[in-house]
Amino acid sequence: MSRLVVVSNRLADPRKSAAGGLAVALGETLKRTGGLWFGWSGKVVENGAAGEGELHVHQAGSVTLAELDLCQEDHDAYYRGYANGVLWPIFHYRLDLAHFESGHLSGYRRVNQLFARKLKALLKPDDLIWIHDYHLIPLAAELRAIGCENRIGFFLHIPLPPQQILAAIPSHEWLMRALFAYDLVGFQTEADLLHFAHYVKAEATAETVGANQFRAFNSTVQAEAFPIGIDVDDFQRLGRAREALETFESTRKEYSRRRLLIGVDRLDYSKGLPQRIKAFRELLQRYPENRHSATLLQVASPSREDVDAYADIQHELESLCGAINGDYGDFDWMPIRYIHRTIARKRLPGLYRACAVALVTPLRDGMNLVAKEFVAAQDEEDPGVLVLSRFAGAAEQLREALLVNPYDISGTAQTIQQALQMSLAERQERHVALLAKVKEFDVHWWCKSFLQKLEHTR
Ligand code: GDG
């Protein structure tokens, strides 16, 4: 295989285990091909010039890491303004939370041009380039504009909304046209792929020239769904290590007389946290047998805290949890344990295993890896139940979970009750089916199938 070049907003050192499944999976191919990983260094330079940035290139074993600094103005426009202020909310169907400013769009384009210029200087003619996520949609078009002819693939980690929602983005035509500079565009789900097909046919009068192959603007792009997975073996190995076992034992001991429910999310408005907490309150209201028993452990790891919408949701959650604990709690039982902190990754499998039910109820999610981690961490003899939003990408695969509409608080409460009462035989049957899928479509399958398709597309 040619040398792999991965480009993403941020990068991780593939030698470090804390890097997570994606970095490990990409890292393997990067190592094998003596590859290059290119991205923003995470450093913001106060008085730097717009559209410029220092590049730091260093070796991590056989992998070259190239990290680019950004100046304050570029960072504000590209990252905060456009990627997180426009694309993140709109791609999660939240037109109400998008803030449009023309300066942000030009900053987004400027940084993509900067990435293209700096990356181009490091490329070899037969490199295979894989670009990741919504921060870098126009990168291939910018690379093509300066003469790059390499094969380039793109994977969108978040959902792609329907045409009518995309069309609300000022300059959506420019943004979506940029996808035609790629040879292969990957989405998380078949639903996202359908949205893409519908958009390009309706807005760009694209012709279908093969299976999921679209022609417009003198280019042909191959699109396909590649649902991302986790590194199951690695996560299960982590589950057998000391920290996870200790966490499992201590949690089980502390809650020996309780039924534990768990939620683990980045604190983000797409994750449906207020709706989840309200559904839990309704569970206590409507099914009083759960009082003094059911305990929800909600981990909300801090994320993008400088953005107003995130501060708002944090306050809403704190006040909801406080009210429920005040109304229902007793001196020996608190219904909700809300943790606004990042838990060490080594502890996660133990925590998942100690819980009877996982609540994975985003309003919209590209895939949702927590759902897959929960399944992978369960004891096959006595597995917990996954309650999963039908609006998570994972719901297309994990049909044996209990699927809910997170906007329907009452329906969700009823399903949580069903999960808490499920017989051992039904839990086992569902878990066997779920685990088989999580194992088959793991992160290595995802990486391999995307790259194989990219190598053979053109
Ligand atoms: C994007 C898309 C898509 C969470 N809290 C803690 C913690 N986590 C870990 C989880 C999981 C990861 O973060 C979250 O992954 P998700 O898939 O749920 O969501 P996003 O971060 O929004 O990721 C998403 C994904 O990209 C991959 O394509 O599935 O749809 O939005 O691994 O375990 N990890 C630790 N402590 C925490 O407190 N250590």
Side-chain angles (χ1 to χ4, degrees):
M1 192 183 144
S2 327
R3 180 173 83 142
L4 175 64
V5 174
V6 172
V7 190
S8 55
N9 178 53
R10 293 300 306 275
L11 33 77
D13 186 335
R15 291 172 304 183
K16 297 186 181 151
S17 62
L22 175 62
V24 172
L26 291 172
E28 275 179 17
T29 318
L30 283 167
K31 273 181 219 158
R32 209 176 50 244
T33 63
L36 167 71
W37 195 341
F38 185 100
W40 171 40
S41 63
K43 188 169 162 205
V44 179
V45 180
E46 287 267 332
N47 295 315
E52 297 298 334
E54 197 180 332
L55 187 68
H56 310 273
V57 182
H58 46 106
Q59 278 308 120
S62 61
V63 181
T64 308
L65 301 177
E67 301 186 89
L68 185 63
D69 298 339
L70 290 180
C71 74
Q72 189 74 52
E73 187 183 340
D74 281 349
H75 175 260
D76 287 354
Y78 149 80
Y79 183 71
R80 290 188 52 182
Y82 201 73
N84 288 336
V86 174
L87 297 180
W88 179 270
I90 294 193
F91 280 38
H92 287 88
Y93 299 54
R94 293 297 301 270
L95 292 175
D96 57 317
L97 294 177
H99 295 288
F100 304 112
E101 274 182 45
S102 59
H104 291 167
L105 175 59
S106 49
Y108 177 71
R109 176 138 194 222
R110 189 169 63 239
V111 170
N112 272 273
Q113 284 166 339
L114 169 65
F115 265 53
R117 255 189 356 260
K118 297 281 185 179
L119 175 62
K120 176 82 177 16
L122 304 175
L123 291 177
K124 298 177 187 164
D126 67 339
D127 283 345
L128 198 60
I129 308 175
W130 190 1
I131 296 171
H132 289 259
D133 232 359
Y134 60 103
H135 312 85
L136 301 172
I137 293 171
L139 184 54
E142 301 298 353
L143 282 165
R144 301 282 186 225
I146 53 174
C148 170
E149 291 180 356
N150 297 55
R151 228 176 267 256
I152 315 181
F154 176 77
F155 185 78
L156 184 69
H157 288 258
I158 63 176
L160 188 80
Q163 175 218 348
Q164 293 285 7
I165 292 183
L166 282 171
I169 304 177
S171 304
H172 62 96
E173 300 90 344
W174 167 80
L175 188 74
M176 295 299 286
R177 179 183 177 149
L179 289 173
F180 281 83
Y182 290 97
D183 296 291
L184 174 65
V185 171
F187 299 103
Q188 297 274 28
T189 65
E190 294 295 330
D192 299 327
L193 179 59
L194 276 177
H195 294 156
F196 177 72
H198 187 213
Y199 177 96
V200 297
K201 284 189 229 162
E203 301 278 341
T205 57
E207 268 180 86
T208 309
V209 292
N212 293 317
Q213 220 175 33
F214 304 95
R215 183 152 184 87
F217 315 112
N218 272 330
S219 310
T220 303
V221 64
Q222 175 74 49
E224 205 153 306
F226 298 94
I228 197 169
I230 62 166
D231 188 334
V232 181
D233 294 338
D234 186 63
F235 201 70
Q236 292 187 333
R237 212 173 301 125
L238 207 60
R240 292 189 293 270
R242 182 177 54 82
E243 288 88 346
L245 295 175
E246 269 173 21
T247 306
F248 172 77
E249 291 299 340
S250 62
T251 312
R252 271 286 162 95
K253 200 166 147 204
E254 190 178 344
Y255 292 94
S256 57
R257 293 179 300 121
R258 316 268 186 236
R259 307 295 306 283
L260 265 184
L261 299 94
I262 189 158
V264 176
D265 307 78
R266 269 190 314 102
L267 204 161
D268 190 286
Y269 50 77
S270 64
K271 302 292 182 185
L273 293 170
Q275 288 81 354
R276 182 184 308 168
I277 305 289
K278 286 178 192 164
F280 184 68
R281 177 174 62 196
E282 186 145 337
L283 175 87
L284 300 178
Q285 248 162 21
R286 273 181 41 198
Y287 307 101
E289 65 269 32
N290 292 308
R291 297 183 200 165
H292 288 94
S293 163
T295 304
L296 171 60
L297 201 63
Q298 177 62 56
V299 179
S301 49
S303 153
R304 305 176 198 163
E305 291 188 299
D306 50 346
V307 179
D308 287 348
Y310 290 76
D312 292 348
I313 198 162
Q314 188 184 331
H315 291 137
E316 185 182 358
L317 283 175
E318 281 166 5
S319 112
L320 266 171
C321 295
I324 297 170
N325 281 342
D327 288 346
Y328 291 95
D330 217 329
F331 65 92
D332 61 347
W333 170 67
M334 277 298 156
I336 304 184
R337 207 151 151 186
Y338 170 71
I339 303 162
H340 182 217
R341 211 168 17 84
T342 301
I343 302 283
R345 184 156 184 83
K346 290 176 177 165
R347 305 218 167 261
L348 276 181
L351 210 51
Y352 288 139
R353 202 179 172 98
C355 294
V357 177
L359 302 182
V360 182
T361 55
L363 302 179
R364 198 60 66 175
D365 218 326
M367 176 56 55
N368 196 299
L369 297 179
V370 171
K372 296 187 173 184
E373 289 168 357
F374 179 77
V375 170
Q378 294 310 299
D379 173 0
E380 292 177 30
E381 301 295 312
D382 183 19
V385 181
L386 175 63
V387 174
L388 178 63
S389 164
R390 57 172 294 167
F391 303 124
E396 243 182 38
Q397 292 179 304
L398 305 183
R399 307 306 294 177
E400 292 78 10
L402 293 183
L403 297 185
V404 294
N405 166 7
Y407 294 94
D408 176 4
I409 306 289
S410 163
T412 305
Q414 200 180 332
T415 306
I416 300 174
Q417 174 71 350
Q418 184 191 344
L420 285 165
Q421 296 193 322
M422 193 180 285
S423 68
L424 176 63
E426 186 177 350
R427 282 190 281 127
Q428 286 173 335
E429 195 180 319
R430 286 177 185 267
H431 181 256
V432 166
L434 290 170
L435 186 62
K437 264 179 246 175
V438 170
K439 278 185 167 167
E440 183 177 355
F441 300 104
D442 70 353
V443 76
H444 303 287
W445 169 87
W446 170 80
C447 197
K448 212 164 78 194
S449 29
F450 186 95
L451 288 173
Q452 262 171 11
K453 187 81 195 185
L454 179 59
E455 276 195 298
H456 297 107
T457 301
R458 195 160 255 195

